[in-house]
Amino acid sequence: MRRILPLVLLSILISQVATAQFRRNRAQDAQTPTESTLNYANPVEYTIGGIEVTGLNVLDKNAMISLTGLKIGDKVKIPSDQISGAIRKLWKHGLVGDATILVDRIEGETVYLTIALAERPRLNDFYFTGVRKARISSLKDELNLIRGKIVNDAMIRNTELSVKKFFYKKGFLNTDVKVVQESDTMNRGGVKLRIDIDIKSKVRVHDIIFEGNTNIASSKLKKKMKKTKENARITLHRTILGKVFGFKSRDVAEYVTTDSSRDVSWREAKEFLNENVKLNIFATSKFIRSEYEEDKLKLIDYYNSLGYRDAEIVSDTIVRYSRDRVDVVMKVNEGRKYYFRDITWTGNYIHTAATLNEILDIEKGDVYNRELIDKKTTFNPKGPDISGLYMDDGYLFFRITPVEVAVEGDSIDIEMRIFEGDQATIREVTITGNERTSEHVIRRELSTVPGQKFRRSDIIRTQQQLSQMGFFNPQKIQQDIKPNPANGTVDIGWELEEQSNDQVQLSGGWGGAFGFVGTVGITFNNFSVRKIPDFKNWHPYPTGDGQRLSISAQANGASYQSYSFSFTEPWMGGRKPNSFTVGLNHSISRLATGTFEISDKVSLKQSGITIGLGRRLEWPDNYFSLTNSLSFLVYNYKGNYFNSTVLPEEGKTYSLKLETNLARNSIDSPMYPTQGSTLSLNVALTPPWSRLRDNAYLQDVNEQFKWIEMHKWMFDAKFYLKLLGSSKPDGRSLVLETKAHFGFIGQYKKSLTPSPFERFLVGGDGLAGGFNSFVLGQDIIGLRGYENNLVTPPFYAKRSSSTRTNKIEGGIVYDKFGFELRYPITLSQAATIYVLAFGEGGNNWDNYLDFNPFSIYKSAGFGARIFMPAFGLIGLNWGYGFDKLPGALNKSGAQFHFTIGQQIR
């Protein structure tokens, strides 16, 4: 045992030593290579046994491994370009900010890799500093930053550039932008972007200097730059220096730009300007690069229109005058001025050269103007053009190409090369976007009908007709014309966008002596009687057939009540545009007696029915319409309601009247017309009762006023002219409206006293039944700047209800003239809003001998109009009456006016 025990212990010791040595050898075989152990000269090939990825927060592990192109089981040399290429692939996708591939361990010929990644942060949110809240919404639309996207250098740089571009467009050229990343503690791997903005002040144009313009004065060139304007003070100083001190334009320009004080004359000029011409109130133009580039093109167009066909801007320089001012220096080369010489026509077989020359209206020796040629050959908004001549006869495929065939000296020969083609027939007409309006209602308004020849004028007319219907957004009506030259046909598509023009009126207000007055009414402008039984087609009421149904009521209790109903079918029978209208109305006006009791003792009741028939005319043109109506009204008055000795204290008066209205309407939009006109002549005739009965009844006042006898003539005209603005359908335009109105009431027998009913009351809002203007049986004519109905004979400052007069209130002749300058704030489907400035004048006479159309009461002011489909047109005006009415102590002065609905007069 003593011998065996040492041997056992020795064996165990040898075994432990051997095991430790084996483990050391195996560890040496599986060690991770380091920079010192890797041999770049002799890479070793391994088989990939495993791949791990570290540093991921959002990205998928398998997706990252796939992007490297490495797979388990692949052969790979370490080190080699294969590993560096895998890293480049990861960087290429921009998902990670840092990427490293490490060797985790090596077991024999097998290698285990670890991909260490640093994810790029993702955008969780962003916000702005240094700008008003009103700009933030527009800024967000400009940036289009999407939450969840990876934040990289390109995003930061593009954000800064987009913000600067946004403010550059508005004239803030000195804007500084800095984008700062902030960690988001609530979301691992996410960041917030803080966009710091310092917009600084706007950069404005100090001076515009032209060089090389020997033929066209700088002042004329500056006028053609519509959006880039110099400081108005500089312009005025330059004018004074030239006119008062006699300096030449070159010297003036030098004075303005360098502020030189070379001699006594300059010092005198400076002192004069500084002491007498302090015009800091003049605003300067913002310098906006895009608008400036547009103005440069307008300059060249202006030169071309004057015959300078080769004119060009050689160079333009923006020179910083101060921190927020720049000077614009433009060097132009005007070139030679050219003239038309010979104009010849080729390819014209339908129309002779004489006919075409008459429309072109360019004579030999006229100043060369390429813009004029293009206008006269393609589309001339102010007169005829060659394309219209052919296209209105079906030649849709017509083309005309003006070619300069010779340029000799200052003369140019033009050859008009025409391709007439075949006449095109309309094959198919499609309509889209009519979600509520029935298709047959739209088709009956179209002038473009399948089977007919194509006519450009029919396209224009249809566009106007669809706009005037009021069911569609006028700015969104588009035509899609698809010619088919192979078979000589054309397809026309009308793209529409429905808009609601129904009106709900629910209002209340103080009616002066009448107290609180409430109004409720509803008007359906696209009603459908046909769909009433079919509840499935109610949206939410039967709609789509273009009929008009209106119901309204207005009351304040016992003092005043008014109820009305009307229905119009614009296409009675469905085949021709013959309208049928029926209307009912009933109104009561009661006055307080001496005991302040309101009853029927002093009252006027009016009841009536009207039936009308109308039709569109084709002659003189299809803008005309003719309407005939027959109305019967009953006026029942008691208690000396009219406060006149001429009339009986109580009685009944009947009116049987035939009215004829001839109208022409060519406006392009009912809510905000920019061109066209509306003309109307209305004649109302009653039977000549005095001719049909003997003279005995004239001695009886009750019999004399039992039937209204008169012939009444009304003329109204409005014209619209676009002064400035965009040519796009939805563009804003400054529009001038001019108008004239005239009314006359005559008698069949001169000795007969004119009826007290249906006279003219002029002044104020022009509302019949409006607040503080409850008038029955009269025509109300508005005249802003004066109180309601006070421009009406007999004139006196304050009307007394206690004293009877031998006069009948109201005029039998009136006139009114005026203009409005309008500019839209918005022309969207939700609302049409525009502001206006106006000037108008009018007068009212109770006998023909005193009539003088030039003796008018004048006013001016400003206001706004708001049209919303649910509430109709609402207007607010401030007017100032310049004249003093007879019997008044002072001028009319300032007046506020509130209007509802379209004012005809």
Side-chain angles (χ1 to χ4, degrees), residues 127-132 135-136 139 143 159-160 162-164 166-167 172 174-179 194-200:
Y127 64 98
F128 302 91
T129 64
V131 293
R132 299 193 306 268
R135 296 188 187 272
I136 290 178
L139 266 173
L143 293 181
T159 299
E160 291 179 349
S162 296
V163 173
K164 287 184 177 181
F166 175 84
F167 286 101
F172 298 96
N174 295 324
T175 300
D176 289 334
V177 180
K178 185 178 181 181
V179 179
R194 187 184 79 231
I195 305 173
D196 298 329
I197 304 173
D198 182 7
I199 63 175
K200 297 183 170 28

PDB file of all heavy atoms in Angstrom, residues 127-132 135-136 139 143 159-160 162-164 166-167 172 174-179 194-200:
ATOM      1  N   TYR A 127     -40.592  71.039 -33.956  1.00  0.00           N
ATOM      2  CA  TYR A 127     -41.291  72.277 -33.615  1.00  0.00           C
ATOM      3  C   TYR A 127     -40.419  73.450 -34.004  1.00  0.00           C
ATOM      4  O   TYR A 127     -39.217  73.298 -34.294  1.00  0.00           O
ATOM      5  CB  TYR A 127     -41.667  72.309 -32.126  1.00  0.00           C
ATOM      6  CG  TYR A 127     -40.499  72.320 -31.165  1.00  0.00           C
ATOM      7  CD1 TYR A 127     -40.044  73.518 -30.615  1.00  0.00           C
ATOM      8  CD2 TYR A 127     -39.876  71.136 -30.785  1.00  0.00           C
ATOM      9  CE1 TYR A 127     -38.986  73.535 -29.718  1.00  0.00           C
ATOM     10  CE2 TYR A 127     -38.816  71.143 -29.897  1.00  0.00           C
ATOM     11  CZ  TYR A 127     -38.374  72.343 -29.361  1.00  0.00           C
ATOM     12  OH  TYR A 127     -37.318  72.366 -28.481  1.00  0.00           O
ATOM     13  N   PHE A 128     -41.039  74.635 -34.025  1.00  0.00           N
ATOM     14  CA  PHE A 128     -40.370  75.843 -34.504  1.00  0.00           C
ATOM     15  C   PHE A 128     -40.225  76.841 -33.369  1.00  0.00           C
ATOM     16  O   PHE A 128     -41.064  76.915 -32.464  1.00  0.00           O
ATOM     17  CB  PHE A 128     -41.169  76.496 -35.644  1.00  0.00           C
ATOM     18  CG  PHE A 128     -41.410  75.598 -36.822  1.00  0.00           C
ATOM     19  CD1 PHE A 128     -42.562  74.811 -36.898  1.00  0.00           C
ATOM     20  CD2 PHE A 128     -40.506  75.529 -37.852  1.00  0.00           C
ATOM     21  CE1 PHE A 128     -42.795  73.990 -37.972  1.00  0.00           C
ATOM     22  CE2 PHE A 128     -40.726  74.709 -38.942  1.00  0.00           C
ATOM     23  CZ  PHE A 128     -41.869  73.932 -38.999  1.00  0.00           C
ATOM     24  N   THR A 129     -39.203  77.630 -33.464  1.00  0.00           N
ATOM     25  CA  THR A 129     -39.025  78.769 -32.570  1.00  0.00           C
ATOM     26  C   THR A 129     -38.715  80.005 -33.412  1.00  0.00           C
ATOM     27  O   THR A 129     -38.113  79.908 -34.479  1.00  0.00           O
ATOM     28  CB  THR A 129     -37.885  78.546 -31.567  1.00  0.00           C
ATOM     29  OG1 THR A 129     -36.635  78.444 -32.277  1.00  0.00           O
ATOM     30  CG2 THR A 129     -38.103  77.276 -30.754  1.00  0.00           C
ATOM     31  N   GLY A 130     -39.177  81.153 -32.948  1.00  0.00           N
ATOM     32  CA  GLY A 130     -38.862  82.407 -33.622  1.00  0.00           C
ATOM     33  C   GLY A 130     -39.857  82.847 -34.667  1.00  0.00           C
ATOM     34  O   GLY A 130     -39.630  83.846 -35.354  1.00  0.00           O
ATOM     35  N   VAL A 131     -40.982  82.122 -34.840  1.00  0.00           N
ATOM     36  CA  VAL A 131     -41.981  82.507 -35.821  1.00  0.00           C
ATOM     37  C   VAL A 131     -43.365  82.519 -35.170  1.00  0.00           C
ATOM     38  O   VAL A 131     -43.597  81.855 -34.163  1.00  0.00           O
ATOM     39  CB  VAL A 131     -42.002  81.557 -37.038  1.00  0.00           C
ATOM     40  CG1 VAL A 131     -40.739  81.675 -37.847  1.00  0.00           C
ATOM     41  CG2 VAL A 131     -42.223  80.121 -36.597  1.00  0.00           C
ATOM     42  N   ARG A 132     -44.280  83.278 -35.792  1.00  0.00           N
ATOM     43  CA  ARG A 132     -45.638  83.353 -35.283  1.00  0.00           C
ATOM     44  C   ARG A 132     -46.390  82.053 -35.568  1.00  0.00           C
ATOM     45  O   ARG A 132     -46.082  81.334 -36.514  1.00  0.00           O
ATOM     46  CB  ARG A 132     -46.387  84.521 -35.927  1.00  0.00           C
ATOM     47  CG  ARG A 132     -45.758  85.879 -35.656  1.00  0.00           C
ATOM     48  CD  ARG A 132     -46.726  86.990 -36.055  1.00  0.00           C
ATOM     49  NE  ARG A 132     -47.190  86.853 -37.414  1.00  0.00           N
ATOM     50  CZ  ARG A 132     -46.607  87.416 -38.456  1.00  0.00           C
ATOM     51  NH1 ARG A 132     -45.509  88.145 -38.290  1.00  0.00           N
ATOM     52  NH2 ARG A 132     -47.100  87.262 -39.677  1.00  0.00           N
ATOM     53  N   ARG A 135     -47.820  81.241 -39.106  1.00  0.00           N
ATOM     54  CA  ARG A 135     -46.963  80.744 -40.195  1.00  0.00           C
ATOM     55  C   ARG A 135     -46.667  79.251 -40.062  1.00  0.00           C
ATOM     56  O   ARG A 135     -46.193  78.638 -41.016  1.00  0.00           O
ATOM     57  CB  ARG A 135     -45.642  81.499 -40.216  1.00  0.00           C
ATOM     58  CG  ARG A 135     -45.743  82.989 -40.521  1.00  0.00           C
ATOM     59  CD  ARG A 135     -44.347  83.560 -40.693  1.00  0.00           C
ATOM     60  NE  ARG A 135     -44.337  84.989 -40.833  1.00  0.00           N
ATOM     61  CZ  ARG A 135     -44.465  85.647 -41.989  1.00  0.00           C
ATOM     62  NH1 ARG A 135     -44.631  84.958 -43.093  1.00  0.00           N
ATOM     63  NH2 ARG A 135     -44.436  86.967 -42.024  1.00  0.00           N
ATOM     64  N   ILE A 136     -46.925  78.674 -38.886  1.00  0.00           N
ATOM     65  CA  ILE A 136     -46.465  77.305 -38.635  1.00  0.00           C
ATOM     66  C   ILE A 136     -47.152  76.313 -39.559  1.00  0.00           C
ATOM     67  O   ILE A 136     -46.512  75.401 -40.098  1.00  0.00           O
ATOM     68  CB  ILE A 136     -46.689  76.949 -37.151  1.00  0.00           C
ATOM     69  CG1 ILE A 136     -45.720  77.757 -36.280  1.00  0.00           C
ATOM     70  CG2 ILE A 136     -46.493  75.461 -36.922  1.00  0.00           C
ATOM     71  CD1 ILE A 136     -45.878  77.524 -34.802  1.00  0.00           C
ATOM     72  N   LEU A 139     -45.625  76.453 -42.940  1.00  0.00           N
ATOM     73  CA  LEU A 139     -44.265  75.908 -42.881  1.00  0.00           C
ATOM     74  C   LEU A 139     -44.278  74.384 -42.890  1.00  0.00           C
ATOM     75  O   LEU A 139     -43.475  73.745 -43.575  1.00  0.00           O
ATOM     76  CB  LEU A 139     -43.556  76.425 -41.630  1.00  0.00           C
ATOM     77  CG  LEU A 139     -42.703  77.679 -41.782  1.00  0.00           C
ATOM     78  CD1 LEU A 139     -42.206  78.145 -40.421  1.00  0.00           C
ATOM     79  CD2 LEU A 139     -41.527  77.431 -42.706  1.00  0.00           C
ATOM     80  N   LEU A 143     -42.371  71.835 -45.537  1.00  0.00           N
ATOM     81  CA  LEU A 143     -41.286  70.916 -45.160  1.00  0.00           C
ATOM     82  C   LEU A 143     -41.619  69.476 -45.490  1.00  0.00           C
ATOM     83  O   LEU A 143     -40.758  68.716 -45.934  1.00  0.00           O
ATOM     84  CB  LEU A 143     -41.004  71.042 -43.659  1.00  0.00           C
ATOM     85  CG  LEU A 143     -40.419  72.382 -43.194  1.00  0.00           C
ATOM     86  CD1 LEU A 143     -40.180  72.354 -41.694  1.00  0.00           C
ATOM     87  CD2 LEU A 143     -39.126  72.678 -43.920  1.00  0.00           C
ATOM     88  N   THR A 159     -34.067  70.467 -44.631  1.00  0.00           N
ATOM     89  CA  THR A 159     -34.990  71.231 -43.786  1.00  0.00           C
ATOM     90  C   THR A 159     -34.564  72.689 -43.710  1.00  0.00           C
ATOM     91  O   THR A 159     -35.383  73.609 -43.831  1.00  0.00           O
ATOM     92  CB  THR A 159     -35.054  70.614 -42.384  1.00  0.00           C
ATOM     93  OG1 THR A 159     -35.542  69.268 -42.484  1.00  0.00           O
ATOM     94  CG2 THR A 159     -35.980  71.417 -41.482  1.00  0.00           C
ATOM     95  N   GLU A 160     -33.282  72.913 -43.503  1.00  0.00           N
ATOM     96  CA  GLU A 160     -32.790  74.290 -43.438  1.00  0.00           C
ATOM     97  C   GLU A 160     -33.030  75.016 -44.757  1.00  0.00           C
ATOM     98  O   GLU A 160     -33.484  76.173 -44.771  1.00  0.00           O
ATOM     99  CB  GLU A 160     -31.304  74.282 -43.093  1.00  0.00           C
ATOM    100  CG  GLU A 160     -31.008  73.826 -41.672  1.00  0.00           C
ATOM    101  CD  GLU A 160     -29.514  73.813 -41.385  1.00  0.00           C
ATOM    102  OE1 GLU A 160     -28.720  73.953 -42.349  1.00  0.00           O
ATOM    103  OE2 GLU A 160     -29.138  73.661 -40.205  1.00  0.00           O
ATOM    104  N   SER A 162     -35.311  74.338 -47.078  1.00  0.00           N
ATOM    105  CA  SER A 162     -36.740  74.524 -47.333  1.00  0.00           C
ATOM    106  C   SER A 162     -37.302  75.687 -46.532  1.00  0.00           C
ATOM    107  O   SER A 162     -38.122  76.468 -47.036  1.00  0.00           O
ATOM    108  CB  SER A 162     -37.498  73.236 -46.994  1.00  0.00           C
ATOM    109  OG  SER A 162     -37.111  72.173 -47.841  1.00  0.00           O
ATOM    110  N   VAL A 163     -36.867  75.814 -45.273  1.00  0.00           N
ATOM    111  CA  VAL A 163     -37.343  76.927 -44.450  1.00  0.00           C
ATOM    112  C   VAL A 163     -36.844  78.253 -45.018  1.00  0.00           C
ATOM    113  O   VAL A 163     -37.595  79.232 -45.114  1.00  0.00           O
ATOM    114  CB  VAL A 163     -36.893  76.750 -42.990  1.00  0.00           C
ATOM    115  CG1 VAL A 163     -37.245  77.991 -42.167  1.00  0.00           C
ATOM    116  CG2 VAL A 163     -37.555  75.525 -42.383  1.00  0.00           C
ATOM    117  N   LYS A 164     -35.586  78.298 -45.422  1.00  0.00           N
ATOM    118  CA  LYS A 164     -35.060  79.530 -46.019  1.00  0.00           C
ATOM    119  C   LYS A 164     -35.796  79.871 -47.308  1.00  0.00           C
ATOM    120  O   LYS A 164     -36.142  81.030 -47.544  1.00  0.00           O
ATOM    121  CB  LYS A 164     -33.563  79.379 -46.294  1.00  0.00           C
ATOM    122  CG  LYS A 164     -32.692  79.400 -45.046  1.00  0.00           C
ATOM    123  CD  LYS A 164     -31.225  79.346 -45.417  1.00  0.00           C
ATOM    124  CE  LYS A 164     -30.349  79.443 -44.166  1.00  0.00           C
ATOM    125  NZ  LYS A 164     -28.910  79.420 -44.501  1.00  0.00           N
ATOM    126  N   PHE A 166     -38.835  79.113 -48.069  1.00  0.00           N
ATOM    127  CA  PHE A 166     -40.180  79.572 -47.698  1.00  0.00           C
ATOM    128  C   PHE A 166     -40.167  81.062 -47.389  1.00  0.00           C
ATOM    129  O   PHE A 166     -41.048  81.806 -47.838  1.00  0.00           O
ATOM    130  CB  PHE A 166     -40.675  78.769 -46.489  1.00  0.00           C
ATOM    131  CG  PHE A 166     -41.999  79.224 -45.945  1.00  0.00           C
ATOM    132  CD1 PHE A 166     -43.181  78.782 -46.511  1.00  0.00           C
ATOM    133  CD2 PHE A 166     -42.062  80.093 -44.871  1.00  0.00           C
ATOM    134  CE1 PHE A 166     -44.408  79.203 -46.014  1.00  0.00           C
ATOM    135  CE2 PHE A 166     -43.283  80.517 -44.361  1.00  0.00           C
ATOM    136  CZ  PHE A 166     -44.460  80.067 -44.938  1.00  0.00           C
ATOM    137  N   PHE A 167     -39.182  81.508 -46.651  1.00  0.00           N
ATOM    138  CA  PHE A 167     -39.129  82.919 -46.280  1.00  0.00           C
ATOM    139  C   PHE A 167     -38.508  83.772 -47.388  1.00  0.00           C
ATOM    140  O   PHE A 167     -38.813  84.966 -47.486  1.00  0.00           O
ATOM    141  CB  PHE A 167     -38.363  83.102 -44.968  1.00  0.00           C
ATOM    142  CG  PHE A 167     -39.144  82.662 -43.767  1.00  0.00           C
ATOM    143  CD1 PHE A 167     -38.902  81.449 -43.165  1.00  0.00           C
ATOM    144  CD2 PHE A 167     -40.148  83.460 -43.257  1.00  0.00           C
ATOM    145  CE1 PHE A 167     -39.634  81.036 -42.065  1.00  0.00           C
ATOM    146  CE2 PHE A 167     -40.888  83.064 -42.158  1.00  0.00           C
ATOM    147  CZ  PHE A 167     -40.628  81.844 -41.559  1.00  0.00           C
ATOM    148  N   PHE A 172     -37.837  87.710 -47.177  1.00  0.00           N
ATOM    149  CA  PHE A 172     -36.914  87.670 -46.041  1.00  0.00           C
ATOM    150  C   PHE A 172     -35.629  86.955 -46.489  1.00  0.00           C
ATOM    151  O   PHE A 172     -35.400  85.783 -46.193  1.00  0.00           O
ATOM    152  CB  PHE A 172     -37.548  86.941 -44.857  1.00  0.00           C
ATOM    153  CG  PHE A 172     -38.785  87.607 -44.323  1.00  0.00           C
ATOM    154  CD1 PHE A 172     -40.043  87.202 -44.732  1.00  0.00           C
ATOM    155  CD2 PHE A 172     -38.683  88.647 -43.411  1.00  0.00           C
ATOM    156  CE1 PHE A 172     -41.186  87.813 -44.248  1.00  0.00           C
ATOM    157  CE2 PHE A 172     -39.828  89.271 -42.922  1.00  0.00           C
ATOM    158  CZ  PHE A 172     -41.071  88.847 -43.335  1.00  0.00           C
ATOM    159  N   ASN A 174     -32.591  87.482 -45.572  1.00  0.00           N
ATOM    160  CA  ASN A 174     -31.546  87.352 -44.550  1.00  0.00           C
ATOM    161  C   ASN A 174     -31.901  86.327 -43.482  1.00  0.00           C
ATOM    162  O   ASN A 174     -31.302  86.307 -42.406  1.00  0.00           O
ATOM    163  CB  ASN A 174     -31.292  88.710 -43.883  1.00  0.00           C
ATOM    164  CG  ASN A 174     -30.728  89.726 -44.862  1.00  0.00           C
ATOM    165  OD1 ASN A 174     -29.946  89.381 -45.750  1.00  0.00           O
ATOM    166  ND2 ASN A 174     -31.145  90.972 -44.730  1.00  0.00           N
ATOM    167  N   THR A 175     -32.847  85.493 -43.745  1.00  0.00           N
ATOM    168  CA  THR A 175     -33.319  84.530 -42.749  1.00  0.00           C
ATOM    169  C   THR A 175     -32.215  83.538 -42.380  1.00  0.00           C
ATOM    170  O   THR A 175     -31.549  82.982 -43.254  1.00  0.00           O
ATOM    171  CB  THR A 175     -34.538  83.768 -43.285  1.00  0.00           C
ATOM    172  OG1 THR A 175     -35.576  84.705 -43.571  1.00  0.00           O
ATOM    173  CG2 THR A 175     -35.037  82.754 -42.274  1.00  0.00           C
ATOM    174  N   ASP A 176     -32.021  83.327 -41.072  1.00  0.00           N
ATOM    175  CA  ASP A 176     -31.096  82.314 -40.550  1.00  0.00           C
ATOM    176  C   ASP A 176     -31.902  81.160 -39.989  1.00  0.00           C
ATOM    177  O   ASP A 176     -32.900  81.362 -39.272  1.00  0.00           O
ATOM    178  CB  ASP A 176     -30.208  82.893 -39.450  1.00  0.00           C
ATOM    179  CG  ASP A 176     -29.171  83.872 -40.006  1.00  0.00           C
ATOM    180  OD1 ASP A 176     -28.814  83.721 -41.193  1.00  0.00           O
ATOM    181  OD2 ASP A 176     -28.748  84.769 -39.269  1.00  0.00           O
ATOM    182  N   VAL A 177     -31.455  79.941 -40.314  1.00  0.00           N
ATOM    183  CA  VAL A 177     -32.152  78.742 -39.850  1.00  0.00           C
ATOM    184  C   VAL A 177     -31.124  77.775 -39.265  1.00  0.00           C
ATOM    185  O   VAL A 177     -30.072  77.546 -39.873  1.00  0.00           O
ATOM    186  CB  VAL A 177     -32.922  78.055 -41.003  1.00  0.00           C
ATOM    187  CG1 VAL A 177     -33.648  76.815 -40.488  1.00  0.00           C
ATOM    188  CG2 VAL A 177     -33.912  79.011 -41.637  1.00  0.00           C
ATOM    189  N   LYS A 178     -31.440  77.228 -38.107  1.00  0.00           N
ATOM    190  CA  LYS A 178     -30.580  76.227 -37.474  1.00  0.00           C
ATOM    191  C   LYS A 178     -31.455  75.098 -36.960  1.00  0.00           C
ATOM    192  O   LYS A 178     -32.429  75.334 -36.236  1.00  0.00           O
ATOM    193  CB  LYS A 178     -29.779  76.844 -36.325  1.00  0.00           C
ATOM    194  CG  LYS A 178     -28.784  75.878 -35.700  1.00  0.00           C
ATOM    195  CD  LYS A 178     -27.975  76.551 -34.608  1.00  0.00           C
ATOM    196  CE  LYS A 178     -26.956  75.584 -34.012  1.00  0.00           C
ATOM    197  NZ  LYS A 178     -26.181  76.221 -32.926  1.00  0.00           N
ATOM    198  N   VAL A 179     -31.112  73.876 -37.343  1.00  0.00           N
ATOM    199  CA  VAL A 179     -31.868  72.705 -36.919  1.00  0.00           C
ATOM    200  C   VAL A 179     -31.055  71.967 -35.857  1.00  0.00           C
ATOM    201  O   VAL A 179     -29.909  71.584 -36.090  1.00  0.00           O
ATOM    202  CB  VAL A 179     -32.171  71.773 -38.107  1.00  0.00           C
ATOM    203  CG1 VAL A 179     -32.946  70.547 -37.642  1.00  0.00           C
ATOM    204  CG2 VAL A 179     -32.966  72.517 -39.169  1.00  0.00           C
ATOM    205  N   ARG A 194     -35.605  70.704 -33.243  1.00  0.00           N
ATOM    206  CA  ARG A 194     -35.960  72.090 -32.915  1.00  0.00           C
ATOM    207  C   ARG A 194     -35.432  72.977 -34.032  1.00  0.00           C
ATOM    208  O   ARG A 194     -34.227  73.032 -34.283  1.00  0.00           O
ATOM    209  CB  ARG A 194     -35.332  72.505 -31.584  1.00  0.00           C
ATOM    210  CG  ARG A 194     -35.809  73.886 -31.110  1.00  0.00           C
ATOM    211  CD  ARG A 194     -35.102  74.326 -29.843  1.00  0.00           C
ATOM    212  NE  ARG A 194     -33.772  74.835 -30.128  1.00  0.00           N
ATOM    213  CZ  ARG A 194     -32.670  74.431 -29.501  1.00  0.00           C
ATOM    214  NH1 ARG A 194     -32.735  73.496 -28.573  1.00  0.00           N
ATOM    215  NH2 ARG A 194     -31.488  74.944 -29.816  1.00  0.00           N
ATOM    216  N   ILE A 195     -36.355  73.633 -34.717  1.00  0.00           N
ATOM    217  CA  ILE A 195     -35.990  74.445 -35.876  1.00  0.00           C
ATOM    218  C   ILE A 195     -36.004  75.902 -35.439  1.00  0.00           C
ATOM    219  O   ILE A 195     -37.066  76.508 -35.275  1.00  0.00           O
ATOM    220  CB  ILE A 195     -36.966  74.197 -37.044  1.00  0.00           C
ATOM    221  CG1 ILE A 195     -37.034  72.698 -37.368  1.00  0.00           C
ATOM    222  CG2 ILE A 195     -36.541  74.993 -38.270  1.00  0.00           C
ATOM    223  CD1 ILE A 195     -38.081  72.336 -38.391  1.00  0.00           C
ATOM    224  N   ASP A 196     -34.827  76.446 -35.222  1.00  0.00           N
ATOM    225  CA  ASP A 196     -34.685  77.836 -34.783  1.00  0.00           C
ATOM    226  C   ASP A 196     -34.643  78.742 -36.009  1.00  0.00           C
ATOM    227  O   ASP A 196     -33.811  78.544 -36.912  1.00  0.00           O
ATOM    228  CB  ASP A 196     -33.408  78.012 -33.958  1.00  0.00           C
ATOM    229  CG  ASP A 196     -33.434  77.168 -32.686  1.00  0.00           C
ATOM    230  OD1 ASP A 196     -34.541  76.955 -32.162  1.00  0.00           O
ATOM    231  OD2 ASP A 196     -32.366  76.724 -32.233  1.00  0.00           O
ATOM    232  N   ILE A 197     -35.534  79.729 -36.042  1.00  0.00           N
ATOM    233  CA  ILE A 197     -35.651  80.608 -37.207  1.00  0.00           C
ATOM    234  C   ILE A 197     -35.511  82.053 -36.754  1.00  0.00           C
ATOM    235  O   ILE A 197     -36.182  82.491 -35.816  1.00  0.00           O
ATOM    236  CB  ILE A 197     -37.004  80.418 -37.913  1.00  0.00           C
ATOM    237  CG1 ILE A 197     -37.207  78.955 -38.304  1.00  0.00           C
ATOM    238  CG2 ILE A 197     -37.110  81.317 -39.143  1.00  0.00           C
ATOM    239  CD1 ILE A 197     -38.596  78.660 -38.850  1.00  0.00           C
ATOM    240  N   ASP A 198     -34.650  82.755 -37.427  1.00  0.00           N
ATOM    241  CA  ASP A 198     -34.522  84.198 -37.238  1.00  0.00           C
ATOM    242  C   ASP A 198     -34.753  84.836 -38.606  1.00  0.00           C
ATOM    243  O   ASP A 198     -33.844  84.879 -39.439  1.00  0.00           O
ATOM    244  CB  ASP A 198     -33.139  84.547 -36.680  1.00  0.00           C
ATOM    245  CG  ASP A 198     -32.988  86.048 -36.414  1.00  0.00           C
ATOM    246  OD1 ASP A 198     -34.003  86.775 -36.549  1.00  0.00           O
ATOM    247  OD2 ASP A 198     -31.874  86.487 -36.074  1.00  0.00           O
ATOM    248  N   ILE A 199     -35.999  85.311 -38.839  1.00  0.00           N
ATOM    249  CA  ILE A 199     -36.332  85.779 -40.188  1.00  0.00           C
ATOM    250  C   ILE A 199     -35.730  87.139 -40.502  1.00  0.00           C
ATOM    251  O   ILE A 199     -35.598  87.522 -41.651  1.00  0.00           O
ATOM    252  CB  ILE A 199     -37.866  85.834 -40.390  1.00  0.00           C
ATOM    253  CG1 ILE A 199     -38.504  86.831 -39.431  1.00  0.00           C
ATOM    254  CG2 ILE A 199     -38.476  84.463 -40.213  1.00  0.00           C
ATOM    255  CD1 ILE A 199     -39.991  87.004 -39.663  1.00  0.00           C
ATOM    256  N   LYS A 200     -35.371  87.888 -39.477  1.00  0.00           N
ATOM    257  CA  LYS A 200     -34.831  89.232 -39.647  1.00  0.00           C
ATOM    258  C   LYS A 200     -35.836  90.096 -40.442  1.00  0.00           C
ATOM    259  O   LYS A 200     -36.992  89.758 -40.590  1.00  0.00           O
ATOM    260  CB  LYS A 200     -33.461  89.203 -40.303  1.00  0.00           C
ATOM    261  CG  LYS A 200     -32.396  88.486 -39.477  1.00  0.00           C
ATOM    262  CD  LYS A 200     -31.059  88.540 -40.121  1.00  0.00           C
ATOM    263  CE  LYS A 200     -29.920  88.061 -39.267  1.00  0.00           C
ATOM    264  NZ  LYS A 200     -30.175  87.089 -38.253  1.00  0.00           N
TER     265      LYS A 200
END
